[in-house]
């Protein structure tokens, strides 16, 4: 089949990954890859500000394709992209996680997002249930061979790892269980075709063939689910209180991550046992423990809207 170099279409500067995140480990077990990252600390605290600033700069690339950005101009594209994030409560705003997942998949996996679940750019809040971004590219297998891949993302920003894993697998199961999967696969591909992020560099013939279940190009692809789980952990807060310097806090976090590896593996294995159909495809986890996910959400809201989220006053 035709095989574009999808990595060449990635617009964002991948240096942000090493500048903003620490990669503690990457483990591969057959079709499951687990990468654990933490946000780089500032002194004796873990702050979201720098990561949020970088992600905000990526909004035009996330919301629009290259062709649309060229039509609008980068300034107008950036201003218009902000409208994609409505004034919803930060606790229920899922697109913050989708934005971080987009950055990780394009930068780390070098696969290009070709569609997201916006129905219309004239109605930014009109979304459909589905995956958090559809990507095409080439995926490196554990034996280092490379296969054409169709990637459907899932992102969760939650209060605990256990909740994040449960919610992620439950969402992924919609695409694989016997009863609901035909409907969800059909809907996902339909939405993708309606919302393709166009670029003059894209081979449209290959693109649409890879989104058409009837073609050999579609059947030749492996299916990969990149999964982001950012979650609260009180342990980091306790480390911040005890740390005497940046290097001390970094060491404490590294030690915590090493001890947590077993719990992460056990948590994934528990969900695999429950959702066995999901294990038939590739899963690529980005696990991000954080001190307070609401700080990340609120910082994203401020970066986009220029004001803090207006919390309701307590009833008198």
């Amino acid at each position: 089949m035709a095989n574009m170099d999808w990595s060449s279409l990635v617009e964002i500067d991948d240096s942000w990954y090493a500048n903003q995140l620490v990669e503690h480990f990457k483990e591969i077990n057959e079709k499951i890859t687990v990468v654990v990252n933490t946000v780089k600390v500032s002194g004796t605290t873990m702050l979201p500000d720098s990561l949020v600033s970088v992600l905000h700069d990526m909004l035009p690339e996330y919301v629009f394709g290259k062709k649309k950005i060229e039509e609008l101009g980068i300034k107008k594209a950036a201003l218009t992209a902000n409208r994609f994030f409505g004034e919803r409560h930060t606790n229920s705003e899922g697109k913050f996680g989708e934005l971080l997942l987009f950055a990780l998949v394009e930068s780390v996996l070098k696969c290009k997002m070709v569609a997201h679940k916006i129905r219309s750019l004239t109605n930014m809040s009109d979304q459909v249930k589905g995956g958090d971004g559809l990507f095409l590219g080439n995926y490196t297998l554990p034996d280092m061979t490379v296969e054409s891949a169709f990637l459907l993302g899932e992102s969760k920003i939650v209060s605990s790892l256990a909740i994040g894993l449960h919610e992620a697998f439950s969402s992924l199961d919609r695409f694989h269980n016997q009863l609901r999967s035909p409907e969800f696969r059909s809907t996902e591909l339909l939405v993708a075709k309606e919302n393709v992020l166009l670029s003059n560099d894209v081979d449209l013939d290959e693109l649409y063939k890879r989104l058409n279940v009837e073609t050999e190009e579609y059947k030749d692809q492996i299916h990969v689910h990149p999964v982001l789980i950012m979650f609260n952990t009180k342990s980091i807060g306790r480390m911040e209180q005890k740390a005497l310097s940046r290097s001390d806090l970094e060491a404490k976090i590294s030690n915590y991550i090493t001890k947590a590896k077993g719990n992460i593996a056990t948590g994934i294995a528990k969900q695999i046992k429950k959702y066995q159909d999901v294990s038939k495809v590739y899963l690529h986890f980005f696990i991000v423990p954080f001190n307070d996910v609401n700080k990340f959400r609120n910082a994203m809201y401020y970066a986009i809207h220029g004001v803090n989220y207006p919390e309701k006053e307590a009833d008198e």
Side-chain angles (χ1 to χ4, degrees):
M1 63 179 283
N3 196 1
M4 285 184 57
D5 180 10
W6 291 92
S7 64
S8 68
L9 302 179
V10 173
E11 299 289 319
I12 59 178
D13 181 359
D14 62 7
S15 64
W16 77 270
Y17 181 74
N19 291 336
Q20 303 300 325
L21 300 176
V22 177
E23 183 177 301
H24 293 273
F25 71 83
K26 175 181 179 180
E27 291 200 352
I28 303 172
N29 183 10
E30 296 181 345
K31 290 183 177 179
I32 301 173
T33 297
V34 178
V35 181
V36 175
N37 297 103
T38 54
V39 176
K40 283 193 172 182
V41 301
S42 299
T44 57
T45 58
M46 180 180 285
L47 300 173
D49 304 24
S50 181
L51 174 62
V52 164
S53 177
V54 169
L55 292 175
H56 184 239
D57 288 342
M58 297 179 191
L59 277 184
E61 286 78 14
Y62 171 57
V63 176
F64 302 110
K66 180 179 178 182
K67 185 176 180 180
K68 189 66 175 180
I69 293 175
E70 291 173 349
E71 291 175 2
L72 294 172
I74 186 61
K75 185 175 181 180
K76 186 175 181 180
L79 290 172
T80 306
N82 281 346
R83 289 173 48 220
F84 173 44
F85 292 79
E87 296 183 4
R88 299 175 60 189
H89 195 295
T90 54
N91 288 348
S92 61
E93 179 55 89
K95 292 190 289 295
F96 298 153
E98 295 165 28
L99 175 60
L100 179 53
L101 180 64
F102 153 77
L104 287 166
V105 174
E106 289 216 354
S107 300
V108 178
L109 302 185
K110 301 298 182 184
C111 294
K112 179 64 178 174
M113 188 171 77
V114 297
H116 46 47
K117 58 188 182 186
I118 310 172
R119 276 292 194 186
S120 168
L121 293 177
T122 62
N123 183 0
M124 295 295 183
S125 63
D126 184 13
Q127 298 184 64
V128 295
K129 297 294 183 182
D132 297 336
L134 191 153
F135 305 79
L136 295 177
N138 299 311
Y139 187 76
T140 303
L141 306 187
D143 64 2
M144 302 309 293
T145 59
V146 176
E147 291 284 339
S148 296
F150 172 101
L151 301 91
L152 192 61
E154 192 66 41
S155 63
K156 301 294 178 184
I157 298 182
V158 290
S159 59
S160 72
L161 176 61
I163 290 173
L165 288 171
H166 169 72
E167 291 185 358
F169 273 87
S170 179
S171 295
L172 295 176
D173 189 56
R174 296 174 303 177
F175 302 100
H176 300 287
N177 73 40
Q178 294 181 0
L179 293 178
R180 294 184 293 170
S181 60
E183 175 191 356
F184 275 93
R185 283 196 298 269
S186 176
T187 301
E188 194 67 35
L189 290 169
L190 176 61
V191 172
K193 291 172 186 176
E194 290 180 350
N195 298 287
V196 165
L197 304 178
L198 293 176
S199 167
N200 291 328
D201 301 321
V202 172
D203 182 339
L204 292 179
D205 183 56
E206 178 180 345
L207 173 61
Y208 284 104
K209 284 181 178 177
R210 289 181 68 164
L211 296 178
N212 184 347
V213 296
E214 298 177 4
T215 66
E216 289 300 311
E217 285 80 0
Y218 179 87
K219 295 170 184 174
D220 278 342
Q221 299 172 114
I222 60 170
H223 287 211
V224 182
H225 288 301
V227 180
L228 164 69
I229 300 177
M230 176 185 273
F231 66 97
N232 280 339
T233 173
K234 294 180 180 179
S235 297
I236 292 179
R238 290 193 288 268
M239 294 176 220
E240 291 173 302
Q241 292 173 337
K242 294 180 180 180
L244 302 177
S245 64
R246 179 181 181 181
S247 59
D248 186 28
L249 180 55
E250 289 173 337
K252 291 180 188 300
I253 291 173
S254 179
N255 185 52
Y256 158 74
I257 297 297
T258 299
K259 292 180 179 179
K261 286 173 68 174
N263 289 335
I264 295 171
T266 299
I268 293 173
K270 180 180 178 180
Q271 297 301 321
I272 286 289
K273 185 176 181 179
K274 184 176 181 180
Y275 298 105
Q276 295 188 15
D277 286 336
V278 177
S279 66
K280 297 175 183 178
V281 299
Y282 286 84
L283 302 174
H284 198 113
F285 289 94
F286 295 98
I287 307 292
V288 185
F290 198 64
N291 56 3
D292 186 347
V293 295
N294 285 331
K295 288 182 180 179
F296 171 74
R297 291 190 181 113
N298 291 334
M300 281 298 315
Y301 187 96
Y302 181 81
I304 291 166
H305 298 288
V307 295
N308 292 316
Y309 183 79
E311 296 287 350
K312 292 182 179 180
E313 294 183 3
D315 294 331
E316 295 183 356

XYZ file of all heavy atoms in Angstrom, residues 242-312:
578
model
N 8.363 18.047 52.246
C 9.590 17.574 52.889
C 10.859 17.912 52.099
O 11.956 17.930 52.680
C 9.522 16.053 53.077
C 8.442 15.605 54.061
C 8.426 14.094 54.202
C 7.350 13.633 55.184
N 7.333 12.160 55.320
N 10.721 18.192 50.815
C 11.901 18.393 49.968
C 12.669 19.648 50.361
O 12.086 20.683 50.683
C 11.477 18.469 48.505
N 13.994 19.564 50.309
C 14.851 20.681 50.672
C 15.386 21.439 49.454
O 15.887 22.558 49.593
C 16.034 20.164 51.505
C 15.659 19.414 52.797
C 16.914 18.895 53.473
C 14.863 20.310 53.733
N 15.283 20.823 48.279
C 15.806 21.442 47.053
C 15.143 20.773 45.850
O 14.433 19.778 45.992
C 17.323 21.261 46.960
O 17.638 19.870 46.851
N 15.391 21.332 44.672
C 14.834 20.720 43.459
C 15.353 19.298 43.293
O 14.582 18.377 43.009
C 15.195 21.558 42.231
C 14.669 20.946 40.934
C 15.052 21.757 39.714
N 14.510 21.146 38.498
C 14.704 21.626 37.278
N 15.434 22.723 37.090
N 14.179 21.001 36.237
N 16.652 19.103 43.473
C 17.225 17.772 43.278
C 16.681 16.786 44.315
O 16.481 15.603 44.013
C 18.755 17.834 43.353
O 19.184 18.340 44.610
N 16.421 17.278 45.521
C 15.855 16.417 46.559
C 14.446 15.979 46.169
O 14.095 14.795 46.299
C 15.840 17.170 47.886
C 15.403 16.288 49.054
O 15.613 15.060 48.982
O 14.858 16.844 50.035
N 13.632 16.919 45.685
C 12.272 16.577 45.272
C 12.295 15.630 44.077
O 11.512 14.662 44.029
C 11.491 17.841 44.922
C 10.036 17.645 44.469
C 9.231 16.856 45.493
C 9.367 18.998 44.193
N 13.172 15.880 43.124
C 13.278 14.991 41.962
C 13.630 13.571 42.386
O 13.078 12.596 41.857
C 14.329 15.534 40.994
C 13.896 16.801 40.269
C 15.014 17.415 39.457
O 16.200 17.161 39.767
O 14.712 18.174 38.514
N 14.524 13.450 43.337
C 14.927 12.119 43.819
C 13.765 11.422 44.521
O 13.542 10.214 44.349
C 16.125 12.241 44.758
N 13.026 12.178 45.320
C 11.883 11.588 46.030
C 10.821 11.110 45.042
O 10.235 10.028 45.204
C 11.281 12.610 46.991
C 12.157 12.963 48.179
C 11.478 13.977 49.084
C 12.403 14.492 50.174
N 12.919 13.443 51.069
N 10.560 11.913 44.013
C 9.552 11.535 43.011
C 10.017 10.300 42.242
O 9.235 9.380 41.983
C 9.270 12.709 42.057
C 8.542 13.822 42.807
C 8.444 12.247 40.862
C 8.360 15.094 42.005
N 11.290 10.273 41.879
C 11.829 9.121 41.156
C 11.697 7.842 41.977
O 11.319 6.778 41.448
C 13.301 9.373 40.809
O 13.856 8.274 40.127
N 11.973 7.932 43.257
C 11.847 6.775 44.147
C 10.387 6.331 44.253
O 10.075 5.134 44.235
C 12.392 7.131 45.528
C 12.408 5.943 46.470
O 12.936 4.874 46.153
N 11.819 6.124 47.649
N 9.484 7.297 44.330
C 8.043 6.989 44.395
C 7.588 6.264 43.129
O 6.841 5.270 43.205
C 7.261 8.287 44.585
C 5.812 8.196 44.155
C 4.866 7.514 44.913
C 5.385 8.793 42.965
C 3.544 7.430 44.518
C 4.068 8.710 42.553
C 3.151 8.031 43.320
O 1.850 7.948 42.916
N 8.031 6.752 41.968
C 7.628 6.136 40.697
C 8.141 4.698 40.621
O 7.429 3.790 40.169
C 8.143 6.958 39.495
C 7.513 8.347 39.490
C 7.861 6.227 38.191
C 6.029 8.375 39.328
N 9.375 4.486 41.056
C 9.941 3.132 41.037
C 9.094 2.177 41.867
O 8.798 1.053 41.451
C 11.386 3.156 41.568
O 12.199 3.990 40.735
C 11.975 1.749 41.597
N 8.665 2.635 43.039
C 7.842 1.789 43.911
C 6.433 1.592 43.349
O 5.781 0.593 43.648
C 7.765 2.413 45.302
C 9.091 2.404 46.058
C 8.939 3.045 47.439
C 10.249 3.009 48.198
N 10.135 3.664 49.543
N 5.965 2.556 42.541
C 4.596 2.489 42.014
C 4.463 1.617 40.776
O 3.341 1.326 40.342
C 4.103 3.909 41.693
N 5.573 1.179 40.201
C 5.520 0.393 38.962
C 4.644 -0.839 39.104
O 3.858 -1.169 38.207
C 6.942 -0.021 38.537
C 7.764 1.115 37.966
C 9.207 0.697 37.720
C 9.333 -0.315 36.622
N 10.748 -0.611 36.279
N 4.760 -1.523 40.217
C 3.974 -2.734 40.419
C 2.485 -2.444 40.466
O 1.682 -3.188 39.889
N 2.100 -1.347 41.120
C 0.682 -0.989 41.200
C 0.115 -0.625 39.832
O -1.037 -0.943 39.521
C 0.492 0.192 42.159
C 0.704 -0.197 43.610
O 0.550 -1.355 43.976
N 1.073 0.768 44.432
N 0.925 0.033 39.026
C 0.481 0.394 37.674
C 0.242 -0.861 36.846
O -0.790 -1.013 36.188
C 1.521 1.308 36.994
C 1.609 2.649 37.730
C 1.161 1.531 35.522
C 2.758 3.531 37.271
N 1.207 -1.780 36.891
C 1.079 -3.031 36.134
C -0.125 -3.844 36.599
O -0.873 -4.393 35.783
C 2.363 -3.852 36.274
N -0.324 -3.895 37.913
C -1.463 -4.642 38.464
C -2.782 -4.016 38.036
O -3.742 -4.715 37.692
C -1.373 -4.683 39.998
O -0.160 -5.343 40.379
C -2.558 -5.429 40.589
N -2.844 -2.689 38.061
C -4.058 -1.990 37.668
C -4.431 -2.239 36.218
O -5.605 -2.462 35.890
N -3.437 -2.224 35.340
C -3.691 -2.490 33.921
C -4.106 -3.942 33.719
O -5.055 -4.236 32.972
C -2.443 -2.144 33.083
C -2.201 -0.622 33.115
C -2.596 -2.635 31.644
C -0.914 -0.198 32.459
N -3.412 -4.858 34.385
C -3.736 -6.289 34.249
C -5.166 -6.572 34.700
O -5.876 -7.390 34.088
C -2.741 -7.120 35.058
N -5.603 -5.895 35.751
C -6.972 -6.075 36.253
C -7.994 -5.668 35.200
O -9.005 -6.361 34.989
C -7.158 -5.246 37.521
C -8.541 -5.356 38.143
C -8.636 -4.506 39.405
C -10.038 -4.570 40.008
N -10.138 -3.732 41.240
N -7.750 -4.559 34.510
C -8.677 -4.096 33.484
C -8.623 -4.973 32.230
O -9.654 -5.213 31.589
C -8.375 -2.631 33.127
C -8.570 -1.654 34.266
C -9.982 -1.663 34.819
O -10.964 -1.766 34.071
N -10.113 -1.560 36.133
N -7.444 -5.442 31.893
C -7.303 -6.352 30.743
C -8.115 -7.621 30.962
O -8.775 -8.140 30.049
C -5.821 -6.705 30.506
C -5.072 -5.513 29.890
C -5.684 -7.926 29.611
C -5.430 -5.204 28.461
N -8.085 -8.122 32.191
C -8.852 -9.332 32.518
C -10.345 -9.085 32.359
O -11.099 -9.965 31.913
C -8.524 -9.768 33.944
C -9.167 -11.093 34.349
C -8.727 -11.512 35.744
C -9.347 -12.846 36.134
N -8.905 -13.275 37.508
N -10.779 -7.879 32.690
C -12.193 -7.530 32.608
C -12.620 -7.215 31.183
O -13.713 -7.568 30.752
C -12.476 -6.321 33.509
C -13.940 -5.918 33.574
C -14.146 -4.775 34.571
C -15.619 -4.370 34.654
N -15.818 -3.251 35.620
N -11.741 -6.553 30.425
C -12.064 -6.132 29.049
C -11.107 -6.818 28.080
O -10.205 -6.192 27.516
C -11.950 -4.609 28.921
C -12.908 -3.840 29.796
C -12.468 -3.196 30.957
C -14.250 -3.728 29.453
C -13.346 -2.473 31.762
C -15.142 -3.008 30.256
C -14.678 -2.387 31.397
O -15.552 -1.663 32.185
N -11.294 -8.110 27.898
C -10.326 -8.888 27.123
C -10.294 -8.515 25.647
O -9.264 -8.668 24.986
C -10.613 -10.377 27.309
C -10.402 -10.845 28.741
C -10.508 -12.351 28.898
O -10.476 -13.099 27.937
N -10.662 -12.804 30.134
N -11.412 -8.041 25.109
C -11.411 -7.658 23.702
C -10.466 -6.497 23.430
O -9.897 -6.385 22.341
C -12.834 -7.265 23.249
C -13.740 -8.479 23.086
O -13.208 -9.577 22.864
O -14.967 -8.325 23.191
N -10.285 -5.636 24.418
C -9.398 -4.478 24.244
C -7.947 -4.926 24.070
O -7.161 -4.280 23.383
C -9.540 -3.512 25.435
C -8.580 -2.331 25.311
C -10.973 -2.998 25.537
N -7.593 -6.052 24.679
C -6.209 -6.517 24.629
C -5.807 -7.072 23.261
O -4.655 -7.421 23.040
C -5.975 -7.593 25.694
O -6.722 -8.768 25.401
N -6.758 -7.136 22.334
C -6.451 -7.652 20.997
C -5.748 -6.619 20.126
O -5.202 -6.953 19.081
C -7.737 -8.124 20.310
C -8.417 -9.293 21.030
C -9.743 -9.648 20.400
C -10.446 -10.770 21.154
N -11.776 -11.098 20.578
N -5.782 -5.357 20.558
C -5.103 -4.297 19.820
C -3.971 -3.747 20.690
O -3.789 -4.160 21.837
C -6.084 -3.176 19.420
C -7.180 -3.723 18.517
C -6.698 -2.511 20.657
N -3.200 -2.820 20.137
C -2.078 -2.246 20.875
C -2.561 -1.124 21.797
O -3.411 -0.312 21.431
C -1.021 -1.704 19.910
C -0.218 -2.793 19.232
C -0.691 -3.427 18.090
C 1.013 -3.191 19.745
C 0.040 -4.433 17.475
C 1.751 -4.200 19.139
C 1.263 -4.821 18.006
O 1.982 -5.818 17.399
N -1.984 -1.082 22.993
C -2.289 -0.041 23.971
C -0.991 0.671 24.342
O 0.000 0.021 24.689
C -2.923 -0.646 25.222
C -4.205 -1.456 25.024
C -4.623 -2.112 26.337
C -5.328 -0.584 24.495
N -1.007 1.988 24.256
C 0.188 2.777 24.576
C -0.195 3.802 25.634
O -0.848 4.792 25.350
C 0.714 3.475 23.321
C 2.131 3.948 23.441
N 3.169 3.412 22.710
C 2.696 4.904 24.227
C 4.303 4.013 23.022
N 4.040 4.932 23.944
N 0.196 3.532 26.890
C -0.207 4.363 28.014
C 0.822 5.456 28.299
O 2.029 5.199 28.349
C -0.358 3.511 29.279
C -1.541 2.594 29.257
C -1.410 1.286 28.834
C -2.791 3.044 29.660
C -2.493 0.426 28.809
C -3.896 2.195 29.652
C -3.745 0.889 29.218
N 0.312 6.671 28.508
C 1.097 7.763 29.071
C 0.503 8.037 30.454
O -0.590 8.580 30.573
C 1.019 9.014 28.202
C 1.624 8.862 26.836
C 0.825 8.595 25.726
C 2.997 8.986 26.658
C 1.382 8.457 24.473
C 3.568 8.850 25.395
C 2.766 8.582 24.299
N 1.210 7.621 31.498
C 0.738 7.756 32.866
C 1.429 8.970 33.496
O 2.660 9.038 33.520
C 1.050 6.498 33.693
C 0.514 5.234 32.989
C 0.514 6.625 35.102
C -0.982 5.133 32.936
N 0.634 9.921 33.994
C 1.197 11.175 34.505
C 0.654 11.458 35.915
O -0.411 12.064 36.074
C 0.866 12.365 33.576
C 1.568 13.634 34.065
C 1.264 12.059 32.134
N 1.355 11.025 36.964
C 0.948 11.396 38.324
C 1.172 12.899 38.535
O 2.182 13.446 38.070
C 1.884 10.565 39.215
C 2.618 9.633 38.315
C 2.558 10.191 36.949
N 0.249 13.555 39.243
C 0.364 14.996 39.468
C -0.101 15.303 40.880
O -0.840 14.519 41.489
C -0.488 15.746 38.434
C -0.137 17.204 38.285
C 1.105 17.591 37.822
C -1.060 18.181 38.626
C 1.431 18.927 37.691
C -0.755 19.521 38.500
C 0.500 19.903 38.026
N 0.321 16.452 41.413
C -0.055 16.764 42.801
C -1.513 17.196 42.930
O -2.166 16.923 43.933
C 0.882 17.817 43.403
C 0.946 19.094 42.580
O 0.253 19.244 41.569
N 1.791 20.021 43.011
N -2.046 17.883 41.906
C -3.434 18.336 41.965
C -3.904 18.631 40.539
O -3.542 19.664 39.971
C -3.553 19.596 42.840
C -4.995 20.044 43.054
O -5.891 19.539 42.341
O -5.228 20.894 43.930
N -4.713 17.750 39.974
C -5.119 17.929 38.580
C -5.981 19.168 38.395
O -6.048 19.732 37.299
C -5.859 16.679 38.041
C -4.920 15.486 37.998
C -7.112 16.374 38.849
N -6.651 19.622 39.461
C -7.449 20.837 39.335
C -6.570 22.061 39.099
O -6.988 23.017 38.431
C -8.319 21.042 40.576
C -9.501 20.097 40.608
O -10.005 19.680 39.567
N -9.942 19.742 41.799
N -5.351 22.047 39.628
C -4.415 23.142 39.349
C -4.087 23.178 37.858
O -3.983 24.253 37.260
C -3.138 22.966 40.165
C -3.294 23.232 41.641
C -1.955 23.073 42.363
C -2.085 23.342 43.847
N -0.791 23.169 44.560
N -3.913 22.009 37.258
C -3.637 21.942 35.821
C -4.834 22.461 35.031
O -4.688 23.288 34.126
C -3.314 20.505 35.413
C -3.218 20.292 33.922
C -2.117 20.745 33.217
C -4.232 19.649 33.223
C -2.025 20.564 31.849
C -4.159 19.465 31.855
C -3.048 19.920 31.163
N -6.028 21.998 35.382
C -7.233 22.429 34.676
C -7.431 23.941 34.798
O -7.732 24.627 33.811
C -8.460 21.710 35.239
C -8.540 20.222 34.956
C -9.919 19.742 35.376
N -10.120 18.324 35.179
C -10.278 17.444 36.167
N -10.219 17.859 37.424
N -10.489 16.169 35.922
N -7.299 24.458 35.998
C -7.535 25.882 36.212
C -6.485 26.741 35.518
O -6.800 27.820 34.999
C -7.568 26.193 37.711
C -8.790 25.608 38.399
O -9.828 25.393 37.762
N -8.679 25.326 39.687
N -5.253 26.261 35.481
C -4.205 26.997 34.775
C -4.473 27.013 33.273
O -4.243 28.028 32.593
C -2.837 26.384 35.072
N -4.985 25.893 32.736
C -5.347 25.861 31.317
C -6.478 26.836 31.032
O -6.458 27.562 30.020
C -5.765 24.446 30.907
C -4.645 23.459 30.660
S -3.507 23.876 29.301
C -4.583 24.380 27.983
N -7.468 26.872 31.902
C -8.605 27.785 31.718
C -8.114 29.231 31.695
O -8.522 30.029 30.838
C -9.617 27.587 32.835
C -10.909 28.361 32.637
C -12.018 27.751 32.057
C -11.020 29.696 33.017
C -13.202 28.456 31.858
C -12.191 30.405 32.830
C -13.286 29.777 32.242
O -14.441 30.485 32.040
N -7.227 29.575 32.618
C -6.714 30.948 32.683
C -5.906 31.284 31.431
O -6.026 32.397 30.882
C -5.845 31.134 33.929
C -5.322 32.540 34.063
C -6.129 33.552 34.597
C -4.040 32.866 33.640
C -5.661 34.855 34.697
C -3.564 34.168 33.736
C -4.382 35.159 34.257
O -3.919 36.447 34.334
N -5.079 30.369 30.960
C -4.263 30.618 29.772
C -5.136 30.878 28.549
O -4.801 31.712 27.698
C -3.336 29.427 29.514
N -6.258 30.185 28.458
C -7.133 30.300 27.291
C -8.049 31.520 27.378
O -8.205 32.263 26.409
C -7.968 29.014 27.128
C -7.057 27.850 26.721
C -9.077 29.197 26.097
C -7.690 26.489 26.847
N -8.621 31.763 28.557
C -9.640 32.805 28.697
C -9.128 34.109 29.305
O -9.811 35.132 29.234
C -10.805 32.279 29.541
C -11.509 31.119 28.924
N -12.321 31.214 27.818
C -11.513 29.796 29.256
C -12.802 30.026 27.495
N -12.325 29.146 28.358
N -7.949 34.063 29.904
C -7.399 35.274 30.500
C -7.991 35.636 31.849
O -7.679 36.678 32.422
N -8.855 34.793 32.371
C -9.460 34.998 33.699
C -9.535 33.649 34.392
O -9.523 32.600 33.755
C -10.885 35.612 33.602
C -10.836 37.013 33.031
C -11.812 34.719 32.779
N -9.635 33.696 35.730
C -9.842 32.464 36.469
C -11.266 31.976 36.255
O -12.173 32.763 35.947
C -9.594 32.693 37.964
C -8.143 32.977 38.264
O -7.253 32.312 37.737
N -7.897 33.968 39.105
N -11.469 30.678 36.446
C -12.827 30.164 36.319
C -13.692 30.777 37.416
O -13.332 30.745 38.597
C -12.860 28.637 36.427
C -14.255 28.084 36.232
C -14.780 27.947 34.957
C -15.068 27.766 37.324
C -16.072 27.473 34.759
C -16.361 27.296 37.138
C -16.842 27.151 35.851
O -18.124 26.718 35.669
N -14.846 31.351 37.054
C -15.684 32.037 38.043
C -16.451 31.063 38.927
O -17.544 30.617 38.583
C -16.643 32.864 37.173
C -16.764 32.083 35.895
C -15.402 31.445 35.699
N -15.866 30.733 40.049
C -16.539 29.825 40.970
C -17.800 30.500 41.524
O -17.803 31.693 41.830
C -15.614 29.454 42.135
C -14.369 28.684 41.700
C -14.690 27.263 41.293
O -15.851 26.833 41.530
O -13.810 26.588 40.760
N -18.882 29.723 41.672
C -20.130 30.262 42.210
C -19.959 30.572 43.693
O -19.304 29.839 44.425
C -21.269 29.264 42.019
C -21.658 29.045 40.575
C -22.827 28.073 40.474
C -23.246 27.859 39.031
N -24.381 26.906 38.920
